[in-house]
């Protein structure tokens, strides 16, 4: 199908699984962080914002290198897990998830933070006067009013994971069937001078990414139009 080899399909399956897991975890973990950044006045806010945005300017190989050291058998995290008998996280799918989450962090935090800032505190104050509890305010006020930011964060994180290379190559090593995602499979095809296979897999990823971005722009336009309707 589509001229892709079984190993290419396995790489695509692994990539989609990685994108779904890392996006889901990022949305859950970044909601409180983005909320705090949107409303706090503490001076440390600029430091946290700089740390969140760091993956935007650092070379992916730098992030992957330090993650490899941290999660490897001699690293603080990996070494501790080794002593506990769990095993280090370098060259594992779990390591890929951690690397992907760190590299995609700004693509989730920043849209959520902007959505929370645009929403303001007034809707929550009104809900509180109506005796809505914290969970009611979250589910009935915060999430519906920030749905555009949530959608943007989810799609950007998912699409960004599809194209990740440097971080995943450093922390995962590109082991077929275990850590070889689609972007690394393309690189392997090019190294083997198999340009036809690289072209087919690249085209497939381009179509997926284009479809996702088209959907997000269409839905964002729909939300904006709905927002000005009487």
């Amino acid at each position: 199908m589509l001229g892709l080899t079984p190993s290419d399909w396995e790489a695509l399956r692994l990539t989609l699984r990685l994108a779904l897991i890392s996006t889901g975890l990022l949305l859950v973990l970044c909601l409180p962080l983005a909320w705090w950044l949107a409303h706090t006045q503490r001076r440390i806010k600029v430091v946290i914002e700089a740390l969140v945005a760091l993956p935007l300017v650092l070379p992916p190989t730098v992030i992957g290198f330090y993650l490899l050291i941290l999660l490897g058998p001699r690293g603080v995290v990996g070494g501790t897990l080794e002593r506990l008998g769990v095993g280090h996280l370098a060259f594992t799918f779990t390591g890929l998830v951690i690397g992907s989450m760190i590299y995609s962090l700004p693509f989730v935090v920043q849209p959520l933070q902007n959505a929370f800032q645009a929403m303001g505190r007034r809707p929550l104050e009104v809900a509180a006067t109506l005796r809505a509890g914290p969970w009611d305010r979250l589910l009935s006020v915060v999430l519906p009013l920030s749905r555009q930011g949530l959608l943007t964060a989810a799609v950007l994180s998912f699409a960004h994971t599809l194209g990740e290379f440097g971080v995943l190559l450093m922390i995962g090593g590109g082991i077929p069937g275990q850590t070889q995602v689609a972007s690394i499979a393309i690189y392997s095809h090019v190294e083997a001078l198999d340009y036809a296979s690289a072209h087919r897999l690249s085209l497939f990823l381009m179509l997926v990414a284009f479809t996702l971005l088209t959907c997000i722009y269409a839905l964002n336009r729909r939300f904006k139009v709905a927002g000005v309707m009487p």
Side-chain angles (χ1 to χ4, degrees), residues 6 27-28 36 50 56 61 78 81 87 89 93 102 107-108 112 115 120 158 162-163 179 190-191 194 207 226 229:
L27 287 174
V28 173
W36 181 81
L56 295 174
T61 49
L81 293 176
L89 300 179
F93 181 78
I102 292 176
F107 294 91
V108 177
L112 291 177
F158 189 91
L162 294 180
T179 61
V190 173
E191 275 198 320
D194 186 0
L207 290 174
M229 292 294 288

Side-chain angles (χ1 to χ4, degrees), residues 27 42 45 69 195-196 218 220:
L27 287 174
R42 296 185 178 182
K45 173 183 175 179
I69 293 177
Y195 294 146
N220 279 341

